[in-house]
Amino acid sequence: MGLWLTSAAVTAFFLVSHKENAVKKKVIEKDSLPETLNVNNKEVKQDEVFRAVNEQKKVDARKQQAKAKANQKRLRAAAIAREQKQKRLDAERKKRAKTSSHYSSKVAVTPTPKTQKATSQQRKISIEFTYYVALCDTGCSGVTATGHDVRKSIYYNGMRIVATDPNVIPTYSIIEFVLGGTKVKAIALDTGGAIKGNKIDMLVATQGEAMKMGRNTKNVTIIRSGK
């Protein structure tokens, strides 16, 4: 005599039969079922039922494998993208470092101007300091009165660049003063319409730095006087 099952009962049987980590524990043994099942008024052999269950498990396994492969592919793509981005950043940093080193080297070997004449006499004076930038809205061109391009560096041969009144501190003079608790050397490579008398305008990197440093007085030693 055949066992009559509703479609819901067959569905439950399928779910129990291939549920993850419970297939071997909960699957119904073939011997516990009659040889023929009646499902929706149709006779179905128990072998066909178990084949269907096994096929479903294979389908589910293939789906899981496909999903795992897709996840692995996505992770690999993300890792490759991160690696490529890091390589680009490293290349850009190396390029900037090389450019900076090249420029510094060019500055370091710049010959001393032929018009410069040195004197061993040193003198100290009190100077009012202000600060300026290479480019500004009031006519700063990035090139000093002596023709040096200062748009990329605030140094000349390792010295700071200052603008002076040539009648007080001649152009190309080398001076020394204390800045932030450290002795600093500077060279007079620039002049300015507002730089008259005992005044020095020192080149700094940014407008914000110039504003922050403001206006102050320093004792300056003229190490070498240029003409």
Side-chain angles (χ1 to χ4, degrees):
M1 181 178 179
L3 176 64
W4 290 83
L5 298 175
T6 64
S7 58
V10 174
T11 301
F13 169 76
F14 273 82
L15 292 176
V16 171
S17 296
H18 67 276
K19 186 175 181 181
E20 185 177 2
N21 297 326
V23 173
K24 294 183 179 179
K25 295 179 181 179
K26 294 186 178 181
V27 66
I28 299 173
E29 296 294 336
K30 291 176 64 176
D31 293 341
S32 65
L33 293 177
E35 292 183 0
T36 303
L37 301 177
N38 289 313
V39 181
N40 294 335
N41 296 323
K42 292 183 179 181
E43 288 189 353
V44 180
K45 293 183 178 180
Q46 63 171 243
D47 288 341
E48 294 179 359
V49 173
F50 278 92
R51 272 200 304 273
V53 170
N54 290 331
E55 288 298 324
Q56 185 62 44
K57 287 193 291 184
K58 291 178 182 179
V59 170
D60 291 344
R62 285 194 293 270
K63 288 182 179 179
Q64 289 295 331
Q65 290 176 356
K67 185 177 180 181
K69 288 182 179 179
N71 286 337
Q72 290 177 357
K73 185 176 181 181
R74 178 177 57 80
L75 292 174
R76 282 198 299 270
I80 292 172
R82 286 194 299 270
E83 183 179 355
Q84 291 176 343
K85 182 179 180 181
Q86 188 61 47
K87 286 182 178 179
R88 287 197 300 270
L89 293 174
D90 291 342
E92 290 174 1
R93 278 195 293 268
K94 288 181 181 179
K95 185 177 180 180
R96 286 196 296 268
K98 185 176 180 180
T99 302
S100 176
S101 175
H102 178 68
Y103 180 79
S104 299
S105 299
K106 289 179 67 178
V107 171
V109 299
T110 303
T112 303
K114 294 181 180 180
T115 56
Q116 180 177 345
K117 294 182 180 180
T119 175
S120 61
Q121 183 180 3
Q122 293 186 3
R123 61 191 177 98
K124 295 183 178 181
I125 54 177
S126 180
I127 297 285
E128 182 184 39
F129 272 66
T130 53
Y131 306 88
Y132 75 106
V133 293
L135 299 171
C136 63
D137 297 331
T138 56
C140 310
S141 64
V143 179
T144 68
T146 55
H148 293 278
D149 189 338
V150 293
R151 289 173 293 182
K152 294 182 179 179
S153 178
I154 59 175
Y155 293 90
Y156 176 86
N157 283 358
M159 296 178 287
R160 299 297 294 264
I161 297 170
V162 295
T164 63
D165 180 349
N167 294 319
V168 178
I169 300 178
T171 304
Y172 297 114
S173 293
I174 296 176
I175 63 175
E176 188 177 74
F177 52 90
V178 176
L179 180 67
T182 304
K183 281 189 177 182
V184 174
K185 286 185 179 181
I187 184 169
L189 293 181
D190 210 354
T191 60
I195 310 303
K196 301 297 181 185
N198 284 21
K199 292 183 178 181
I200 282 179
D201 208 13
M202 189 174 83
L203 180 67
V204 294
T206 66
Q207 189 68 41
E209 185 180 359
M211 297 292 291
K212 182 179 180 180
M213 298 182 74
R215 185 185 300 266
N216 44 66
T217 301
K218 300 181 183 297
N219 292 321
V220 172
T221 299
I222 300 176
I223 297 175
R224 186 169 66 185
S225 181
K227 298 289 186 179

